[in-house]
Amino acid sequence: MEWKDSLISGLQWSEHIINREGKERVAQELAARVKDGEVIGAGSGSTVYLTLFAIAERMRSEKLHVEIIPASMEISMTCIQLGIPQTTLWEKRPDWTFDGADEVDPAHNLIKGRGGAMFKEKLLIKSSERTFIVVDDSKFVSRLGSKFPVPVEVFPTGVVYVEEWLKILGASEVILRMGKGKDGPVLTENGNFILDAWFDSIAEPLEKEIKSITGVIESGLFIGYDIEINAYTI
Ligand code: 5RP
């Protein structure tokens, strides 16, 4: 039996999509890579959202069968809306993953996690043989951490302990991310809090150092990953 549902079928992206035209262009390029039978990891964010529309269009017009492993509920609901089958990391390994980013430095290190989904995004990227990161010019920085803080997902009662350790690791400011449309802190999909930590400099070991703090689930630092950057001009 089917739901008379309009919530998921009528779902829209939650905010205005910045640089929508450029993102739609690159979404077409990514969708053109899809091959019949592939399992594809989909990160999160508006670029990923728009790419799913382009993939769904190819699936419809060329009768391709593709399965998506989503990194967030919003991307999972978009797959349902578009009729794209989904699977999990329990069942399948992605042939490749695509995702956006908040900052990319000259060595292709990344900060991700504006959407709070960096834990599952990292799991997908680590599980995939190839990853395509899609960004516009505005995401390139000469120094990681210059425009965005490093998001750190933390077990809720561990935030004070973790804040102290982030400062010992050099964070100049640590902010508890608060919800919009909700009182109190943002809760991640895993029921955790997010600390946004500003660093004046980010050296190679920082990702591992943050991960080693008890109470930290994952950070939005991606240093030294084997990824391909698909850039577009706004
Ligand atoms: C979410 C992310 C996103 O990939 C990043 O914020 C980019 O988003 P957008 O494609 O909307 O610019 O890391 O956790």
Side-chain angles (χ1 to χ4, degrees), residues 23 44-47 99-102 112-118 121 139:
K23 285 177 180 172
S44 83
S46 58
T47 316
D99 205 345
D102 301 311
K112 292 181 46 52
R114 179 198 49 76
M118 59 276 185
E121 289 168 347
K139 308 281 180 87

Side-chain angles (χ1 to χ4, degrees), residues 217-229:
I217 310 298
E218 196 46 86
S219 82
L221 274 181
F222 290 67
I223 298 185
Y225 286 57
D226 186 16
I227 49 170
E228 293 164 55
I229 305 290

Side-chain angles (χ1 to χ4, degrees), residues 16-17 24 26 33 35 37 74 76-77 91 111-113 117 132 173 191-192 210:
H16 167 71
I17 298 183
E24 276 172 345
V26 84
R33 292 183 175 276
K35 295 195 191 76
E74 120 227 317
S76 175
M77 288 192 284
E91 296 153 286
I111 288 183
K112 292 181 46 52
F132 300 97
E173 197 182 0
N192 297 310
I210 292 177

Side-chain angles (χ1 to χ4, degrees), residues 186-207:
V186 163
L187 284 183
T188 68
E189 294 188 15
N190 314 307
N192 297 310
F193 289 177
I194 294 179
L195 292 177
D196 285 312
W198 288 94
F199 287 87
D200 295 333
S201 81
I202 294 178
E204 196 263 323
L206 188 62
E207 181 181 353

